[in-house]
Amino acid sequence: DDIDGAVAGLASAGVTFGEMMTTLPFHATLPDPLPLPGTPFARALDAFLRDAFTASPVFAGFAGYHLVDGDWGDPSEAGRATRLAALDRHEAILTALADADLSADERVDRAYLLELIAQQRFGDRELRDEAWDPLTVVYTLGAGFFLLLSREYAPWSHRGAAFLSRVQGVPAYLEAALAALTGLPGRPPDLDEPRRVADSVALMGGA
């Protein structure tokens, strides 16, 4: 219903269906929410956050960073390699910061950030949900559209453009996600799981 309403709203604004499906680059109309970094640690944190948000645009939106609202991220093997390389780069930058150059709060924040990097590396190197769990893709798509349509955090000029950009990006995202769904040793992909979830939702809707 939310998607139908979004399409109807665009149509009422005089946008034809053909224009809706025309690939146009998404340009965020909201200001950059990250503060200007003023210390070596703040600059390292800023670089990490921007890379993390670019890699996971749906997570970024829920975190309040809306400059990548029109994107999905890269679920391919190349995308995974890029994320792991970025984590290694940010870890090296953070560990190279001398304790003397950090405030007490920054030393605590650095330890937390290094732990977060380790968790993300474990997710992309060991867990690799996108390689065996098709619901990872389903949840990402659902959450990506839900945020744009259910929360009025920005004018429709921004959210609508992001919505169209994500609609247009679905085929490429699904193609990359399907290619990555190869399974892991002991964890073959369960391709029937999305169907079972859909059946359960249909049963709840008819109850």
Side-chain angles (χ1 to χ4, degrees):
D1 290 343
D2 286 337
I3 293 179
D4 289 342
V7 173
L10 289 167
S12 67
V15 180
T16 68
F17 182 78
E19 290 171 333
M20 293 179 195
M21 294 300 102
T22 299
T23 301
L24 295 173
F26 168 72
H27 297 292
T29 59
L30 299 181
D32 188 338
L34 296 181
L36 186 67
T39 67
F41 173 77
R43 287 190 288 273
L45 174 61
D46 180 85
F48 168 79
L49 288 175
R50 293 185 188 280
D51 278 352
F53 290 152
T54 299
S56 302
V58 174
F59 164 76
F62 282 98
Y65 186 88
H66 297 291
L67 303 188
V68 290
D69 276 354
D71 301 331
W72 286 115
D74 185 355
S76 70
E77 178 61 23
R80 185 174 78 92
T82 298
R83 292 191 298 273
L84 286 170
L87 292 174
D88 290 344
R89 183 173 65 255
H90 292 300
E91 183 180 61
I93 292 172
L94 287 165
T95 54
L97 293 175
D99 285 350
D101 294 333
L102 304 176
S103 68
D105 287 342
E106 287 179 334
R107 287 194 291 272
V108 172
D109 290 341
R110 179 177 63 174
Y112 173 78
L113 192 54
L114 288 171
E115 176 62 26
L116 182 60
I117 288 173
Q119 292 175 7
Q120 292 184 355
R121 180 184 291 116
F122 181 75
D124 258 325
R125 183 174 289 168
E126 304 296 337
L127 293 182
R128 297 185 57 190
D129 290 343
E130 74 286 347
W132 59 273
D133 185 3
L135 284 183
T136 299
V137 176
V138 176
Y139 291 148
T140 298
L141 291 173
F145 285 125
F146 175 81
L147 173 66
L148 298 176
L149 299 175
S150 66
R151 297 188 179 181
E152 297 184 0
Y153 62 85
W156 180 244
S157 58
H158 173 97
R159 293 184 296 118
F163 170 80
L164 284 181
S165 179
R166 282 189 172 166
V167 167
Q168 293 157 358
V170 165
Y173 178 79
L174 289 178
E175 182 179 2
L178 183 61
L181 193 63
T182 57
L184 297 174
R187 284 180 284 176
D190 185 356
L191 299 180
D192 286 333
E193 189 174 10
R195 178 186 56 78
R196 290 195 296 270
V197 172
D199 291 345
S200 298
V201 171
L203 286 174
M204 288 188 293

